[in-house]
Amino acid sequence: MNSSKEGDNLLTLKQVAELLNVHPNTIRKWIKDGRINSYRISSRGDRRFRQNEIDRFLAELDVK
């Protein structure tokens, strides 16, 4: 699932949880708290995350 913009690849909830080394429920909490943006797709409401936004989130974690 790639969008037309470079670096705007979409990741699944599982991929983001593995990348950040946390449980998927932690990602869901961070979404609810407004720490991470997610995008709902499909009629099931699956979540997707932009790679560049997750990269930015990781960079902010490294600074703190």
Side-chain angles (χ1 to χ4, degrees):
M1 292 206 151
N2 295 330
S3 71
S4 60
K5 291 182 180 181
E6 183 66 31
D8 219 13
N9 298 328
L10 295 179
L11 305 171
T12 65
L13 180 72
K14 182 178 178 182
Q15 289 172 319
V16 172
E18 289 174 356
L19 183 65
L20 299 178
N21 199 30
V22 296
H23 193 277
N25 287 343
T26 301
I27 301 297
R28 289 181 183 100
K29 181 178 182 332
W30 288 349
I31 294 165
K32 184 178 177 185
D33 293 345
R35 294 181 66 189
I36 295 179
N37 290 325
S38 70
Y39 303 89
R40 297 284 189 155
I41 64 165
S42 77
S43 60
R44 292 187 334 184
D46 296 339
R47 297 179 195 268
R48 293 295 182 268
F49 305 82
R50 288 192 173 137
Q51 176 74 53
N52 59 355
E53 291 179 4
I54 299 303
D55 292 342
R56 193 175 314 122
F57 180 76
L58 279 170
E60 290 174 8
L61 288 178
D62 287 340
V63 172
K64 293 180 181 178

